[in-house]
């Protein structure tokens, strides 16, 4: 319910059912939470999710929300952010599929992707945007990636990657210094290699 808080004083170690937060809060009192393969976490409205780290092995959905997520998030399955503003205050890693549509997403402690990050149209603001192999970003026209620190990683997934119509924008950060490091494939001394 709006304004209500689900407080797990001893911590909820695992969720195998459904946790629905609609305009309220879930507080796992600093304990880690695993969203098991049969679990769903559904967030809507002005809501807050606080854990000592969330491992998503199933479905984590933020739909029509103004959401705050406290604690690191490791998405190893499916995560959907739809028509929302979502602020992640812990580091976020993605080895599954993270889809964000018509949303403003803030990764305030960085985003590391080795899965697939799909956006359409979306604004993603992050400190660091790291894509490691086989990570891919699939973006559409109107997508904007705002980075206050660095863009990097080891991904060589040139067949899955598509950001041709998106905008990468460096914004002011802690030191206003930025680096961009991207892997490539050596196609030799020809026009194809340039």
């Amino acid at each position: 319910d709006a304004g209500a808080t689900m407080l797990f004083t001893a911590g909820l170690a695992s969720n195998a059912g459904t946790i629905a937060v609609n305009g309220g809060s879930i507080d796992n009192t600093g304990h880690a939470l695993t969203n098991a393969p049969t679990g769903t976490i559904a967030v809507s409205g002005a809501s807050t999710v606080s854990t000592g780290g969330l491992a998503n092995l199933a479905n984590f959905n933020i739909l029509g929300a103004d959401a705050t997520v406290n604690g690191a998030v490791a998405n190893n399955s499916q995560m959907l952010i739809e028509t929302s503003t979502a602020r992640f205050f812990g580091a976020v890693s993605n080895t599954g599929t993270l889809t964000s549509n018509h949303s403003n997403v803030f990764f305030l402690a960085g985003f590391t992707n080795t899965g697939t990050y799909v956006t359409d149209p979306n604004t993603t603001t992050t400190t660091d945007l790291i894509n490691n192999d086989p990570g891919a970003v699939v973006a559409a026209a109107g997508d904007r990636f705002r980075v206050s620190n660095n863009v990097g990683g080891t991904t060589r997934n040139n067949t899955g990657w598509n950001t041709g119509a998106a905008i990468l924008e460096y914004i002011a950060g802690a030191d206003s210094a930025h680096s961009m490091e991207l892997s490539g494939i050596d196609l030799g001394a020809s026009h194809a290699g340039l």
Side-chain angles (χ1 to χ4, degrees):
D1 292 333
T5 297
M6 288 185 284
L7 179 66
F8 296 96
T9 55
L12 177 65
S14 182
N15 171 51
T18 299
I19 295 174
V21 185
N22 183 6
S25 300
I26 177 173
D27 187 345
N28 212 34
T29 60
H31 293 87
L33 172 62
T34 298
N35 192 36
T38 58
T40 296
I41 298 174
V43 178
S44 59
S47 298
T48 300
V49 176
S50 298
T51 71
L54 171 63
N56 179 43
L57 305 178
N59 297 297
F60 182 18
N61 302 320
I62 299 173
L63 308 173
D66 183 3
T68 297
V69 180
N70 296 309
V73 175
N75 178 49
N76 301 305
S77 187
Q78 301 292 319
M79 188 169 169
L80 175 62
I81 303 168
E82 183 82 40
T83 319
S84 296
T85 295
R87 293 171 199 83
F88 295 88
F89 284 92
V92 176
S93 62
N94 177 49
T95 61
T97 301
L98 195 165
T99 303
S100 184
N101 297 315
H102 306 284
S103 296
N104 291 303
V105 180
F106 297 84
F107 298 117
L108 300 169
F111 177 62
T112 301
N113 180 44
T114 55
T116 303
Y117 182 36
V118 181
T119 62
D120 181 22
N122 205 68
T123 298
T124 300
T125 303
T126 185
T127 54
D128 293 294
L129 179 58
I130 306 299
N131 289 282
N132 290 323
D133 216 22
V137 175
V138 180
D143 284 332
R144 182 176 299 270
F145 295 86
R146 304 175 76 234
V147 181
S148 65
N149 200 24
N150 301 319
V151 175
T154 62
T155 192
R156 296 178 135 209
N157 188 350
N158 64 325
T159 57
W161 191 280
N162 182 358
T163 54
I167 295 170
L168 172 64
E169 175 185 2
Y170 280 111
I171 60 175
D175 60 9
S176 295
H178 307 287
S179 70
M180 179 182 281
E181 177 184 88
L182 300 173
S183 296
I185 298 173
D186 185 353
L187 297 176
S190 69
H191 288 112
L194 297 178

